[in-house]
Amino acid sequence: MGVEWRPELAINVAEIDKQHQELFRRFDELLKACDSGQGQKEIARLLDFLDDYVRTHFRDEERIQANSNFPGYTEHRRQHQQFVSRLNDLKRQLATDGASLPVILQTNHMMVDWLINHISKLDRQIGDYLAAKAGK
């Protein structure tokens, strides 16, 4: 089982789409590792990547929203903060319990939820808003 970036997920902002593609690639690596019984080795790598990724990606995405007066900015930013909080909880759990099955399952659930509900829906709204604003 894996996940793949699909062109219909693009919001047509090159830097954001590239970052989203990298997120999909990294999560796909975790899923493939889990399928081959290597999830415990990959989970720490994904969480470390996410720690850096969210700082850069959320900053970039929020800057674009603020600069374009995106009407959903406040809610979008709140969702980013919730994701960071969930990520920090998982990192603490990993530090305490190690790469346990519950940590792997919770990480998978968080990522699937984020990919399905945030990127494919909320981030799509940013792309639609920017396209409408540009008259496309």
Side-chain angles (χ1 to χ4, degrees):
M1 175 177 83
V3 295
E4 287 185 13
W5 170 260
R6 298 181 319 271
E8 60 269 18
L9 293 172
I11 68 167
N12 298 314
V13 175
E15 75 181 302
I16 300 302
D17 289 336
K18 184 178 176 183
Q19 291 170 358
H20 284 164
Q21 290 170 20
E22 180 64 12
L23 179 62
F24 270 77
R25 189 182 73 72
R26 294 293 185 110
F27 183 47
D28 188 56
E29 286 178 6
L30 174 63
L31 293 176
K32 287 177 180 172
C34 288
D35 283 348
S36 66
Q38 302 298 311
Q40 289 180 318
K41 291 180 183 178
E42 187 64 31
I43 193 72
R45 284 180 30 152
L46 177 68
L47 293 179
D48 284 344
F49 162 76
L50 285 173
D51 204 30
D52 290 333
Y53 173 87
V54 296
R55 273 194 290 276
T56 301
H57 176 69
F58 291 169
R59 181 200 63 219
D60 293 347
E61 209 174 77
E62 290 171 12
R63 176 184 39 82
I64 290 166
Q65 292 174 57
N67 290 343
S68 68
N69 295 314
F70 177 64
Y73 171 77
T74 302
E75 173 59 21
H76 208 103
R77 187 166 189 274
R78 186 186 68 74
Q79 291 224 357
H80 286 170
Q81 291 167 339
Q82 284 180 327
F83 185 89
V84 170
S85 177
R86 288 175 72 190
L87 175 60
N88 288 334
D89 289 345
L90 283 169
K91 288 175 10 191
R92 277 191 293 277
Q93 191 174 353
L94 177 66
T96 302
D97 302 338
S100 65
L101 184 58
V103 171
I104 295 169
L105 293 174
Q106 288 175 39
T107 301
N108 284 346
H109 183 267
M110 177 184 75
M111 292 300 297
V112 168
D113 180 56
W114 191 256
L115 298 179
I116 291 171
N117 292 313
H118 188 85
I119 292 175
S120 68
K121 295 177 183 171
L122 292 178
D123 286 352
R124 176 79 257 141
Q125 292 172 0
I126 299 167
D128 293 346
Y129 173 79
L130 294 172
K133 193 170 179 172
K136 295 180 181 176

